[in-house]
Amino acid sequence: MKRPSGGRGRELASVAPLLDEITQDVLYDRVWERPQLSARDRSLITVTCLVALGRDQAQGHMELGLENGLTAEELGEAIAHIAFYAGWPVAISAARKLKTLVDAQAATPA
């Protein structure tokens, strides 16, 4: 499985090689590749969890979610939906991250 954000987390291998290895081997190569959920569904679950927790990794996973078949509209709906459960501030922050991503994609020629 390809890591989100172009594998930016791999930079930590120089200081935490075991963490990098486990992340790749267990999370991306084993968990993400299980056939019981599609990559699209896993992306939606991951994004909503990261948004709810207010984590910076949400934007990278939004980008991966778009690559896995989610639409910007679906991500926006998920963010609006979880605002009532996770809190308004994290939803607003996530919506800003999504807008940044959508604007960047719109500025990139197809």
Side-chain angles (χ1 to χ4, degrees):
M1 165 73 188
K2 181 187 135 199
R3 287 183 177 200
S5 295
R8 240 184 23 215
R10 301 236 50 170
E11 79 234 9
L12 301 177
S14 65
V15 294
L18 181 59
L19 178 62
D20 178 65
E21 181 182 329
I22 292 169
T23 299
Q24 185 62 52
D25 295 349
V26 177
L27 179 58
Y28 292 111
D29 292 344
R30 292 187 62 202
V31 174
W32 272 83
E33 294 299 326
R34 292 177 53 79
Q36 289 81 359
L37 291 172
S38 68
R40 179 191 180 285
D41 291 346
R42 289 185 191 279
S43 284
L44 186 60
I45 292 165
T46 302
V47 167
T48 56
C49 287
L50 291 171
V51 167
L53 294 170
R55 301 295 192 249
D56 291 335
Q57 295 89 343
Q59 188 166 349
H61 276 280
M62 286 182 207
E63 185 176 339
L64 182 61
L66 292 170
E67 293 173 18
N68 285 337
L70 290 170
T71 66
E73 181 180 43
E74 289 170 324
L75 288 169
E77 278 296 308
I79 291 166
H81 183 80
I82 66 169
F84 292 91
Y85 299 95
W88 223 256
V90 294
I92 295 298
S93 294
R96 286 192 175 114
K97 289 176 184 175
L98 179 59
K99 181 171 181 350
T100 298
L101 179 60
V102 168
D103 288 351
Q105 287 186 337
T108 304

